[in-house]
Amino acid sequence: MYRTGLLLFLWLIFFGGTATHTYSSFVADDEIVGFIHQQIAANHADRSEVRMRLWDVHIIPWDSADVKSVGLADSMSDDFFLYYEPRYTLDSVLQDSDKIFMRKQVWAYSGKKQDWQKEDLRGVKLIQPVPPDQVHIGNEYWEFSLPVFSKDHNWCIAKYEFVCGSRCIDRRTFLYKKSAEGNWLRYKLLRKDS
């Protein structure tokens, strides 16, 4: 019995503990980075003339207000009508345990400065964000949030922003579903601000 326990412990050290958690204590880096790579590719798929500048990327910080705005609040609130649609969408596909797990991730990200690691996002130029009033044609950039996963990691919520000037910002928050092939597909737009 002692020997079996020791072998299991050693196996966990060598094989089970290989995932790194730079971005999140809940989700391994390779899952987060894989998701972001897919989103960058998807956002540029229809732009054959894309300049490399448009690949410049930064992390959007999650905010505690996102818990309400994307429908993850744990109870109906005074702003019921404003957030009804995303809440209804999430209620139709997620269990309560998924929403609790997602809220914990948002709260863990909230208020923390996040930076992509250069070695993670290959083929992407990492930049410091520029204030929108200093952005013009030629120095536009994308921001992607860290994805917030359901407990089974088959659903996630993420937001992105394309910054192209003070009057040209496109922000969207989507619910994504993982396909049988392991690709992340947009399932529903939860929030849009332009």
Side-chain angles (χ1 to χ4, degrees):
M1 181 69 178
Y2 171 75
R3 186 174 177 198
T4 304
L6 180 62
L7 289 174
L8 179 61
F9 176 72
L10 291 173
W11 184 87
L12 286 172
I13 286 176
F14 289 111
F15 298 105
T18 55
T20 54
H21 288 80
T22 309
Y23 304 107
S24 166
S25 54
F26 295 94
V27 182
D29 289 358
D30 58 347
E31 189 162 11
I32 290 173
V33 170
F35 173 85
I36 295 301
H37 271 293
Q38 279 190 27
Q39 296 319 300
I40 290 172
N43 278 294
H44 292 291
D46 58 344
R47 297 170 180 261
S48 55
E49 76 290 350
V50 158
R51 298 185 205 98
M52 280 305 291
R53 274 197 179 278
L54 290 182
W55 289 72
D56 293 355
V57 99
H58 186 258
I59 291 181
I60 308 176
W62 281 96
D63 188 289
S64 55
D66 290 317
V67 168
K68 270 197 233 176
S69 69
V70 300
L72 284 172
D74 52 0
S75 63
M76 293 293 183
S77 62
D78 296 336
D79 23 40
F80 168 78
F81 292 105
L82 183 59
Y83 303 119
Y84 177 75
E85 177 62 28
R87 186 182 178 90
Y88 175 79
T89 299
L90 295 189
D91 285 348
S92 67
V93 297
L94 298 174
Q95 303 296 318
D96 285 344
S97 59
D98 292 317
K99 289 186 270 187
I100 290 167
F101 187 65
M102 290 175 141
R103 278 199 300 271
K104 285 180 181 176
Q105 291 170 76
V106 173
W107 289 330
Y109 295 150
S110 234
K112 286 188 181 172
K113 184 177 183 298
Q114 301 284 352
D115 287 305
W116 295 118
Q117 306 300 309
K118 288 184 181 176
E119 61 274 11
D120 285 340
L121 295 184
R122 297 168 306 282
V124 175
K125 182 179 175 188
L126 300 179
I127 61 161
Q128 290 302 313
V130 178
D133 60 343
Q134 294 177 23
V135 177
H136 49 80
I137 294 173
N139 73 342
E140 310 96 329
Y141 63 92
W142 292 86
E143 294 186 312
F144 294 88
S145 73
L146 297 175
V148 175
F149 292 93
S150 63
K151 227 173 169 185
D152 63 6
H153 294 228
N154 287 324
W155 296 90
C156 81
I157 298 172
K159 52 186 181 172
Y160 76 81
E161 194 167 291
F162 178 61
V163 182
C164 46
S166 57
R167 296 181 180 268
C168 176
I169 298 175
D170 183 27
R171 298 182 185 103
R172 297 181 190 217
T173 305
F174 282 96
L175 174 66
Y176 295 83
K177 182 178 183 179
K178 189 186 278 186
S179 71
E181 297 78 32
N183 297 316
W184 286 101
L185 308 173
R186 287 181 184 165
Y187 181 81
K188 181 83 174 180
L189 175 66
L190 297 177
R191 184 171 181 179
K192 179 181 177 183
D193 302 296
S194 296

